[in-house]
């Protein structure tokens, strides 16, 4: 999943800031670097790269990866888990947009 669009001014508060190396991210998730690479191959998360070319992950990406890991731990194939997480994320975004549109809508008085 690509980074979201809004960014806080403080990197410590930025969920999209690529603060974690692959090794640290794998350790935090209790998985292997190969699992993170597989998530990238299945286009679930796209880590940014450091100047040296090393993968760097954000907190948002780690939450997405953790959800995929839950599904895989329950017996879902990694390809299917990635697709499920992508669809869940798309549904959440669509619901958020729908709520915003409903809040902005001006009520129309009933016809006589």
């Amino acid at each position: 999943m690509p980074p979201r669009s809004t960014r806080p001014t403080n990197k410590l508060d930025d969920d999209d800031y690529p603060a974690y190396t692959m090794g640290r991210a794998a350790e935090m998730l209790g998985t292997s670097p190969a699992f993170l690479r597989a998530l990238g191959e299945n286009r679930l998360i796209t880590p940014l790269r450091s100047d040296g070319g090393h993968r760097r992950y954000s907190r948002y990406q780690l939450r997405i990866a953790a959800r995929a890991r839950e599904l895989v731990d329950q017996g879902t194939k990694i390809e299917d888990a990635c697709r499920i997480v992508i669809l869940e994320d798309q549904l959440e975004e669509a619901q958020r947009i729908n709520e915003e549109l409903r809040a902005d809508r001006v009520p129309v008085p009933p016809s006589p």
Side-chain angles (χ1 to χ4, degrees), residues 7-102:
R7 293 216 135 158
T9 55
N10 182 346
K11 290 179 183 176
L12 294 174
D13 296 329
D14 187 351
D15 271 357
D16 294 320
Y17 181 72
Y20 303 98
T21 63
M22 177 179 275
R24 180 70 178 128
E27 178 184 321
M28 290 171 69
L29 294 170
T31 189
S32 67
F35 178 79
L36 292 172
R37 283 191 293 275
L39 297 181
E41 290 166 8
N42 284 284
R43 299 187 322 237
L44 179 61
I45 55 177
T46 304
L48 294 175
R49 297 285 182 148
S50 68
D51 291 339
H54 300 282
R55 290 174 178 90
R56 304 285 297 200
Y57 297 89
S58 69
R59 289 189 306 219
Y60 173 71
Q61 290 173 324
L62 294 184
R63 282 195 301 275
I64 296 291
R67 175 65 181 131
R69 170 135 194 249
E70 287 175 17
L71 293 168
V72 169
D73 287 349
Q74 294 170 4
T76 307
K77 289 196 273 184
I78 194 163
E79 299 84 8
D80 297 337
C82 290
R83 186 67 183 140
I84 289 168
V85 174
I86 289 168
L87 290 171
E88 287 175 342
D89 194 58
Q90 289 173 343
L91 176 60
E92 183 180 312
E93 178 70 6
Q95 289 172 330
R96 184 191 61 75
I97 291 169
N98 196 10
E99 285 178 24
E100 286 176 6
L101 291 173
R102 283 187 177 148

